[in-house]
Amino acid sequence: MSHLYIALVGLPARGKSFLAARLLEGLEADGLKVRLFNNGDLRRSRLGAASSLPEFYAPENESARRQREELARINMEQARDFLAGGGNVAVLDAANISRQRRRVLEENLTDAPILFIECINNDAELLEASIERKAGLPEFSGFGLAAAKESFVRRIGYYERLYAPLREERHFVRVETLHNRILEERDCAGIPFYIQIRDILVSDWVRHLYLLRHGQSEYNAQNRIGGDSGLTGKGRKQAEALAAHFQPFDLPYIFTSSRKRAKETAAPLLQGHPGSIHIMLPEFDEISAGECEGMSYTEIRRNLPKEYAARQADKYAYVYPGGEGYITLKDRVGKGFRKALFLSGAAPGIVIIGHQAINRMILSLFFFRRNESVPYIYVPQNEYFHIVSTHRQTLLELVRFTE
């Protein structure tokens, strides 16, 4: 069987390790023998905390440069031994940002083709969130959060001084990792397993997504829309039942909107999972009803009959005066969903606690519903959607957690 090296390329916090994990899982599912060779893991195990300081990455630090090159050499040798011993694909998970480092790979790994994959993401807001997430990793446990972020930003600055995008390499593909889009390919047609690799690169990868609606809120009980009300007694019981149901689950990331009812629903879940990272994304805030915020549909019909009729005629295209509609939610919610997937990386399971309209928009990515049917997707408060989506498997089920 054929053999292949995959060498990842890109600045820190651009999704390289997440992509490496996807390649491992996806290609192994195709029956291939695949192994990851992560320079960062090797560095931390051999050099310890000192190698986390930003000065370790300064281009003028000759001693550190020699140490980094030695680590790269070790990983290259281990990757070559893996292929020689019957492996199919060796994934070199490292920055490989300079042309010089990539030339070393090309000169030393001559027993199989090398496919370079450059990971690109220039979304400033997402980069900031990624840096904050990185700052919370064990590598920076000796720092305060602010100091860890400052350290990591300085590290990125040193990398940027050396960064050279892929241009001269024989086989490469450049990928925008937020939207999983291929930006450029060069001479990839004859690369072993490239058909499978390309499918993995463009697939949205969801191992286990648990999509929840907040518990019953005060406005829900009063049949009012929008607002920022808290949970009712029933809603709090639903949140507690939810936490009990998910107690055995591994949930590294829990995403919520910024609304009180979503955060109150998440509180018992976070208490039962103290190691989980809670991230609030305003992209998951409920649809804004504008001038109709806080009103019931009976009040809208009585006080704003033309608006009520327009909404009844086409709920998907209707936009509340001064507010939003399903049609305008698409970009906002889509961006939030991709941010959640990017930030959670290779996590085995993630939770999103959203709202009725928001969850409908997320579900429409998997239901493939006609636009006009999206406002009618069933989103209960005592059940959740469990979603798995990879290039080989799609699962969507509705699971009850309380009466």
Side-chain angles (χ1 to χ4, degrees), residues 3-5 83 109-114:
H3 306 285
L4 175 67
Y5 295 104
L83 293 192
L109 301 177
T110 58
D111 53 310
I114 304 175

Side-chain angles (χ1 to χ4, degrees), residues 38-342:
N38 184 288
N39 280 19
D41 289 343
L42 186 63
R43 169 182 59 79
R44 285 182 285 270
S45 67
R46 297 207 173 200
L47 303 181
S51 67
S52 297
L53 297 173
E55 290 74 19
F56 184 79
Y57 303 90
E60 57 272 16
N61 188 337
E62 283 297 318
S63 174
R65 182 184 62 78
R66 288 192 296 271
Q67 289 178 299
R68 296 196 305 271
E69 289 178 353
E70 175 64 11
L71 294 172
R73 183 192 63 78
I74 292 170
N75 258 347
M76 280 192 296
E77 290 182 355
Q78 291 179 347
R80 188 166 50 223
D81 291 344
F82 170 67
L83 293 192
N88 300 121
V89 181
V91 182
L92 297 160
D93 182 8
N96 296 317
I97 52 171
S98 69
R99 174 59 190 148
Q100 179 181 355
R101 172 61 61 80
R102 300 194 294 266
R103 188 176 292 114
V104 170
L105 293 175
E106 292 169 331
E107 291 172 351
N108 286 273
L109 301 177
T110 58
D111 53 310
I114 304 175
L115 173 64
F116 291 96
I117 301 179
E118 183 175 1
C119 296
I120 301 166
N121 193 326
N122 296 318
D123 186 295
E125 185 179 350
L126 185 57
L127 180 60
E128 173 66 24
S130 296
I131 291 171
E132 185 160 349
R133 177 177 63 86
K134 292 273 190 180
L137 294 176
E139 178 175 1
F140 297 102
S141 58
F143 298 75
L145 180 60
K149 289 173 63 176
E150 191 272 339
S151 175
F152 196 72
V153 168
R154 287 173 60 195
R155 182 193 297 190
I156 292 174
Y158 288 135
Y159 274 100
E160 288 175 333
R161 288 167 55 183
L162 300 174
Y163 181 40
L166 294 174
R167 286 291 181 268
E168 302 176 28
E169 291 70 19
R170 180 177 176 184
H171 310 289
F172 71 75
V173 55
R174 306 177 75 232
V175 182
E176 195 271 293
T177 51
L178 177 58
H179 297 94
N180 300 323
R181 294 186 304 197
I182 291 177
L183 304 177
E184 184 180 2
E185 299 171 275
R186 175 176 293 177
D187 196 16
C188 295
I191 291 292
F193 323 119
Y194 187 64
I195 294 176
Q196 298 101 304
I197 291 169
R198 184 168 54 185
D199 189 25
I200 294 169
L201 294 180
V202 300
S203 296
D204 288 329
W205 209 266
V206 182
R207 282 189 175 86
H208 294 283
L209 165 64
Y210 305 102
L211 181 63
L212 319 171
R213 185 182 173 190
H214 61 79
Q216 186 191 63
S217 70
E218 296 287 352
Y219 265 24
N220 290 153
Q222 299 167 19
N223 291 316
R224 297 186 179 278
I225 61 176
D228 195 21
S229 62
L231 297 182
T232 63
K234 179 179 179 179
R236 288 190 289 273
K237 289 181 180 178
Q238 289 171 334
E240 291 166 1
L242 181 72
H245 175 85
F246 276 105
Q247 188 58 49
F249 290 57
D250 185 9
L251 304 174
Y253 289 87
I254 297 174
F255 296 90
T256 71
S257 76
S258 66
R259 300 302 187 207
K260 185 186 300 183
R261 53 198 185 274
K263 292 185 287 185
E264 289 182 357
T265 301
L269 188 60
L270 288 163
Q271 187 175 7
H273 292 79
S276 295
I277 298 173
H278 176 210
I279 300 176
M280 287 183 291
L281 293 178
E283 290 89 346
F284 292 154
D285 286 354
E286 180 61 301
I287 186 172
S288 169
E291 296 175 16
C292 299
E293 282 280 306
M295 298 175 69
S296 69
Y297 287 116
T298 300
E299 290 171 338
I300 296 173
R301 182 176 58 191
R302 182 175 62 246
N303 301 325
L304 299 167
K306 291 184 179 179
E307 295 297 331
Y308 184 85
R311 182 176 179 275
Q312 290 294 108
D314 190 344
K315 288 186 179 181
Y316 185 83
Y318 174 77
V319 177
Y320 286 101
E324 298 175 299
Y326 281 93
I327 195 169
T328 63
L329 280 183
K330 186 174 183 180
D331 288 344
R332 166 161 77 86
V333 176
K335 181 179 180 181
F337 182 66
R338 292 191 175 279
K339 283 173 68 173
L341 294 185
F342 186 92

